[in-house]
Amino acid sequence: MEEIIERVVLNSEEIEEVCRNLANQINIDYKGKRLLLVGVLKGSVPFLSCLMKYINVELMVDYVYVNSYKGHEKEMVIVHKDLDINFSGLDVLVVEDIIDTGFTLYKIIEMLKGKDVASCEIIVLLDKIENRKLGSIKPKYIGKIIPNEFVVGFGLDYKELYRNLPIIGVLNKNLYRGKR
Ligand code: IMP
Ligand code: MG
């Protein structure tokens, strides 16, 4: 693992602790309500799984799958999978591994806007806040703010690899030599 990871950002125990603390806050804020956790595929799967173990309010789980890429003039986001569950009247919490520019979550919030949800908020495990381009996208819950470095592990990938690492760390720059 030494060659893949340059520096550990969160080890397994720290990830567990962050999830427990976030869930404790959710349990207070959503007491007596019914939550719909909307995981953003694929990266949020380990985070969502860890987080929901500690949530004690009634909840349902669904997933959306979107991809973003640089278009001619702006960032484009393609929706591959929309929600299956009827979210009418539910308190929606969009669960994402990391927020960077904010374009991906902006698209997902746009999809949910105008729908008949009781509320719609965002939770992220990691936030690269200094790289944000869309200031209107503000997660209600943030696990940890990190610098603008490329991280992998615990769901986060580099070219679909390293999602299985039990820790989160900065990817060794020799592996991509400046190209992500
Ligand atoms: P945004 O649309 O720029 O906010 O980017 C969010 C998406 O980019 C996340 O869902 C991740 O898939 C990906 N991403 C951003 N930064 C990283 C990183 O450091 N490691 C792995 N994936 C990342
Ligand atoms: Mg992602």
Side-chain angles (χ1 to χ4, degrees):
M1 199 143 76
E2 283 75 37
E3 313 88 62
I4 300 169
I5 297 300
E6 224 168 64
R7 177 172 54 84
V8 175
V9 171
L10 286 173
N11 66 31
S12 307
E13 291 75 28
E14 288 165 338
I15 291 172
E16 203 73 28
E17 177 73 12
V18 166
C19 290
R20 203 180 308 123
N21 289 338
L22 291 169
N24 286 343
Q25 197 52 53
I26 290 169
N27 291 336
I28 295 167
D29 295 347
Y30 291 88
K31 191 166 187 235
K33 296 190 171 165
R34 181 176 282 178
L35 257 186
L36 173 61
L37 296 184
V38 175
V40 182
L41 292 172
K42 306 168 192 173
S44 73
V45 172
F47 175 42
L48 191 148
S49 310
C50 187
L51 180 72
M52 73 176 170
K53 291 188 294 187
Y54 300 109
I55 298 180
N56 60 23
V57 303
E58 270 193 349
L59 70 81
M60 300 178 191
V61 178
D62 204 345
Y63 294 95
V64 290
Y65 185 16
V66 300
N67 261 160
S68 54
Y69 67 96
K70 279 237 178 302
H72 276 313
E73 278 170 7
K74 55 179 182 177
E75 199 82 15
M76 307 294 288
V77 181
I78 302 177
V79 180
H80 296 288
K81 186 205 164 292
D82 207 337
L83 293 173
D84 297 326
I85 288 179
N86 178 6
F87 38 75
S88 176
L90 296 175
D91 287 281
V92 174
L93 194 51
V94 177
V95 183
E96 177 63 310
D97 49 6
I98 189 164
I99 179 168
D100 187 12
T101 61
F103 281 105
T104 306
L105 281 163
Y106 175 80
K107 178 72 183 182
I108 292 164
I109 296 301
E110 282 292 299
M111 280 162 63
L112 292 164
K113 240 189 205 166
K115 301 260 169 64
D116 183 24
V117 295
S119 69
C120 184
E121 299 287 355
I122 297 167
I123 179 168
V124 294
L125 177 56
L126 301 172
D127 187 351
K128 288 190 196 173
I129 199 159
E130 63 186 71
N131 216 19
R132 191 85 79 260
K133 300 228 166 62
L134 297 175
S136 62
I137 299 299
K138 290 194 177 70
K140 181 171 185 182
Y141 307 98
I142 296 164
K144 187 179 167 91
I145 292 174
I146 62 165
N148 186 19
E149 291 178 298
F150 199 80
V151 292
V152 293
F154 199 67
L156 291 148
D157 73 304
Y158 171 62
K159 295 189 173 171
E160 295 299 326
L161 289 171
Y162 317 127
R163 293 190 198 273
N164 56 314
L165 299 183
I167 58 119
I168 296 169
V170 176
L171 182 66
N172 188 334
K173 291 181 186 62
N174 293 328
L175 286 176
Y176 61 85
R177 295 178 204 288
K179 280 187 234 139
R180 285 177 197 168

